[in-house]
Amino acid sequence: MNIISADFLISASSLSGLPEESMPEIVFAGRSNVGKSSLLNSLTLKKGLAKTSSTPGKTKLINYFLVNGDLYFVDLPGYGYASVSHEEKEQWGKLLSAYIERRRSISLVILLIDSRHPAMASDRAMIEFLLHHERPFGIVLTKYDKLGQKERVAVRRSMESLSSKAKFIVNYSSFSGLGRNDLLSHIEHCIP
Ligand SMILES: Nc1nc2c(ncn2[C@@H]2O[C@H](COP(=O)(O)OP(=O)(O)OP(=O)(O)O)[C@@H](O)[C@H]2O)c(=O)[nH]1
Ligand SMILES: [Mg+2]
């Protein structure tokens, strides 16, 4: 698919603040600081579209972007961020799970996993959650530009067990654009 337009639509802090379920949604989920907002900017070729930061916990709300006038990209706050309070974590965990469980218009969840730390417990829990709720998901291995040759082999190996469960696994770098075309074509195939 080509992205012709991408514009910020709305930020929501609860399910009641979400837009009507009138368009397919592509959701970007993953641990805090994994590169969700950067990936959104790189996919849309719009640098400042989603706010990014080297400090984890930058995205705090569910952010909707209208793409090509007929679908939503949804940027989620990250999970697994150590420095927030227990209550905040619990509150966000509830919102995240309720969103993924109940939102019927989700066409695809793109789960971002840091290619340098591929088998973290919180990511595995997220995969179990998606499988349990029968949500179609694909995996993007982020920050691939940071990997050396040995790490590339290691990450491929640790992803092998998931390759039958995920719709796709894409190696990605928001800095170089590696994986961009690949991911866009996967997204296109998941839009009803
Ligand atoms: N080397 C490299 N760094 C990246 C890449 N993508 C993101 N980063 C860096 O990782 C940090 C976090 O990026 P964000 O896009 O803000 O991450 P996020 O997942 O949206 O984070 P939260 O909103 O806090 O959950 C920033 O310092 C980015 O510059 C990448 O492909 N390569
Ligand atoms: Mg973010």
Side-chain angles (χ1 to χ4, degrees), residues 17-71:
L18 302 185
E20 249 184 76
E21 297 194 76
S22 56
M23 291 184 210
E25 295 181 18
I26 310 294
V27 182
F28 298 86
R31 287 174 59 83
S32 202
N33 208 239
V34 70
K36 298 175 293 298
S37 302
S38 303
L39 178 112
L40 249 148
N41 294 341
S42 113
L43 270 186
T44 57
L45 300 175
K46 274 189 146 178
K47 267 204 168 146
L49 187 65
K51 302 243 171 5
T52 67
S53 167
S54 55
T55 314
K58 178 69 183 173
T59 309
K60 292 202 162 70
L61 301 166
I62 302 180
N63 294 309
Y64 273 75
F65 301 90
L66 179 61
V67 174
N68 293 351
D70 60 9
L71 96 136

Side-chain angles (χ1 to χ4, degrees), residues 104-163:
R104 295 336 300 173
S105 47
I106 295 176
S107 298
L108 174 69
V109 176
I110 298 180
L111 178 61
L112 281 71
I113 294 180
D114 191 321
S115 56
R116 295 163 304 168
H117 313 287
M120 299 199 62
S122 54
D123 291 328
R124 277 185 273 138
M126 186 62 173
I127 289 167
E128 287 309 315
F129 183 79
L130 293 169
L131 288 170
H132 179 76
H133 292 287
E134 298 181 342
R135 288 308 202 176
F137 73 98
I139 292 174
V140 166
L141 294 167
T142 63
K143 309 189 187 182
Y144 205 75
D145 53 277
K146 289 195 173 188
L147 292 196
Q149 191 53 40
K150 267 193 190 154
E151 291 168 302
R152 289 179 190 204
V153 175
V155 71
R156 199 173 314 134
R157 208 162 283 151
S158 66
M159 284 296 125
E160 268 163 19
S161 61
L162 289 175
S163 54

